[in-house]
Amino acid sequence: MDNKKKVAVPLVCHGHSRPVVDLFYSPVTPDGFFLISASKDSSPMLRNGETGDWVGTFEGHKGAVWSCCLDTNALRAATASADFSAKVWDALTGDVLHSFEHKHIVRACAFAEDTHLLLTGGVEKVIRIYDLNRPDAPPREVDKSPGSVRTAAWLHSDQTILSSCTDMGGVRLWDVRTGKIVQTLETKSSVTSSEVSQDGRYITTADGSTVKFWDANYFGLVKSYNMPCTVESASLEPKFGNKFIAGGEDMWVHVFDFHTGEEIACNKGHHGPVHCLRFSPGGESYASGSEDGTIRIWQTGPLTPDEAEALAANGSVGKVKVPAEEVSHKIEGFHITEEGKAKEKEEAAVNE
């Protein structure tokens, strides 16, 4: 019970002048891991994922930015905006690399694992796949979405796309090869957040006041928990998969036990509804973005005796190779050249 009494003190990241509506963590890279945020202020921001320190702002959108992501190496960023465009940026210099014009508001974007493909979706009800090696070629369009696209993600090593709609329940899964819907995960309310777990086992969704976990390979519903309020976002802890976070209308960031659904902790601090939540790639912290314009980074806290025992028995779970402490150095600004980074990459590849 002591756990609930302790007041968590987050790192508070200021900078956005309007609500923060999307957050995305990069995997761990040789330079550490990064956090990108999308806001209605039209200026996505890149931060050091561990410290929350500001690295840079991507300037160029003329409307609210609804979605943001980084590629596997955190070398490029992508953003989806109400200005009818999706943009791809150089995450080292902040320059726009490509701007893909759409016919309506773009709500979702996602890099494929192989980083050459970008997925977009929005109010047009069309899911497009852009080939970043051939940015001038027309994008591939998969079968029409039944509604306005709210979230989109890749699954099964880029063979499947999952997407939810603003105006109807359910998560639809498309076979990328055929471009056809192969499965629908049924929910009562519109799914406002969908996340594929780091190990590829689960799809985590938030709809209305429930958080659901689906088997990402067989598509069965694994767990469904009712939340204390309408939640907009949920994220599963990536290392052990033993807890998840959810946030929404009540402005609090709730932490729950994955196996029982019991609330473990409740973090208070935001002054407006929580729009987005994500765990860091190593699970040691998690970030929340709110209507109040701030991002708060919360520490997950030490392992319980059970967790420590599980870790000792199984070794680490999940794909993260480099713990945050071993990160060689962190980018302090947009100043590392493309060549320098490529050279480091080669060296890193040689040393692995």
Side-chain angles (χ1 to χ4, degrees):
M1 284 309 288
D2 296 349
N3 210 356
K4 287 197 179 171
K5 303 277 187 292
K6 282 196 204 110
V7 177
V9 181
L11 293 165
V12 183
C13 310
H14 297 281
H16 286 297
S17 57
R18 300 281 317 279
V20 177
V21 291
D22 194 28
L23 290 169
F24 183 96
Y25 277 104
S26 76
V28 177
T29 76
D31 297 308
F33 60 94
F34 297 90
L35 175 66
I36 186 172
S37 54
S39 165
K40 291 186 185 178
D41 67 7
S42 81
S43 302
M45 290 187 181
L46 186 69
R47 294 175 187 277
N48 175 310
E50 195 180 356
T51 63
D53 290 343
W54 178 83
V55 174
T57 301
F58 300 101
E59 291 175 350
H61 276 301
K62 293 182 169 56
V65 176
W66 285 108
S67 174
C68 58
C69 58
L70 293 161
D71 70 4
T72 314
N73 309 307
L75 294 177
R76 286 177 301 181
T79 50
S81 171
D83 66 8
F84 293 18
S85 79
K87 293 185 193 295
V88 177
W89 313 76
D90 183 319
L92 301 180
T93 63
D95 296 335
V96 177
L97 299 175
H98 313 293
S99 190
F100 299 119
E101 299 309 313
H102 291 60
K103 294 186 184 72
H104 214 307
I105 292 166
V106 194
R107 279 302 293 261
C109 61
F111 279 110
E113 223 174 284
D114 80 354
T115 74
H116 297 307
L117 301 175
L118 181 74
L119 178 65
T120 69
V123 180
E124 271 183 87
K125 305 183 182 180
V126 179
I127 290 175
R128 294 186 173 89
I129 300 171
Y130 291 88
D131 183 342
L132 300 179
N133 290 336
R134 300 166 56 233
D136 298 329
R140 188 174 153 210
E141 296 185 358
V142 303
D143 229 17
K144 215 165 159 50
S145 167
S148 173
V149 176
R150 170 78 187 249
T151 70
W154 298 85
L155 191 61
H156 304 145
S157 304
D158 308 335
Q159 294 170 50
T160 310
I161 287 169
L162 65 87
S163 172
S164 71
C165 298
T166 311
D167 36 13
M168 61 182 68
V171 173
R172 274 146 286 274
L173 294 115
W174 276 263
D175 180 325
V176 172
R177 211 168 35 90
T178 62
K180 297 275 179 261
I181 295 175
V182 288
Q183 187 85 25
T184 301
L185 312 179
E186 299 290 353
T187 67
K188 248 201 343 248
S189 308
S190 165
V191 170
T192 50
S193 161
S194 58
E195 175 189 76
V196 179
S197 66
Q198 206 176 76
D199 59 10
R201 276 175 63 188
Y202 297 112
I203 298 163
T204 304
T205 61
D207 76 288
S209 56
T210 67
V211 172
K212 294 181 172 70
F213 299 93
W214 311 80
D215 185 307
N217 297 303
Y218 302 102
F219 307 122
L221 180 61
V222 180
K223 297 198 178 289
S224 177
Y225 294 123
N226 291 321
M227 296 287 109
C229 70
T230 301
V231 292
E232 203 171 324
S233 189
S235 181
L236 180 61
E237 195 280 330
K239 261 297 181 41
F240 308 101
N242 57 354
K243 55 177 77 119
F244 67 95
I245 47 175
E249 272 180 8
D250 68 4
M251 309 188 222
W252 299 343
V253 178
H254 301 270
V255 186
F256 298 93
D257 183 295
F258 171 76
H259 301 289
T260 65
E262 185 190 350
E263 184 165 307
I264 302 166
C266 177
N267 299 317
K268 302 176 182 182
H270 280 298
H271 302 292
V274 174
H275 293 308
C276 44
L277 287 170
R278 285 295 177 256
F279 265 103
S280 68
E284 62 284 306
S285 60
Y286 47 95
S288 55
S290 163
E291 182 72 18
D292 66 16
T294 67
I295 298 162
R296 287 165 197 259
I297 298 176
W298 312 81
Q299 298 308 307
T300 304
L303 294 180
T304 64
D306 294 354
E307 288 166 356
E309 208 173 290
L311 179 61
N314 311 329
S316 159
V317 189
K319 289 184 187 167
V320 175
K321 289 198 193 109
V322 193
E325 306 83 77
E326 286 176 24
V327 165
S328 50
H329 62 282
K330 298 171 190 67
I331 296 184
E332 297 304 341
F334 284 147
H335 61 247
I336 294 186
T337 63
E338 201 65 59
E339 297 77 27
K341 198 86 184 240
K343 190 154 169 283
E344 281 175 29
K345 276 255 180 33
E346 283 163 27
E347 285 165 7
V350 171
N351 297 337
E352 263 180 16

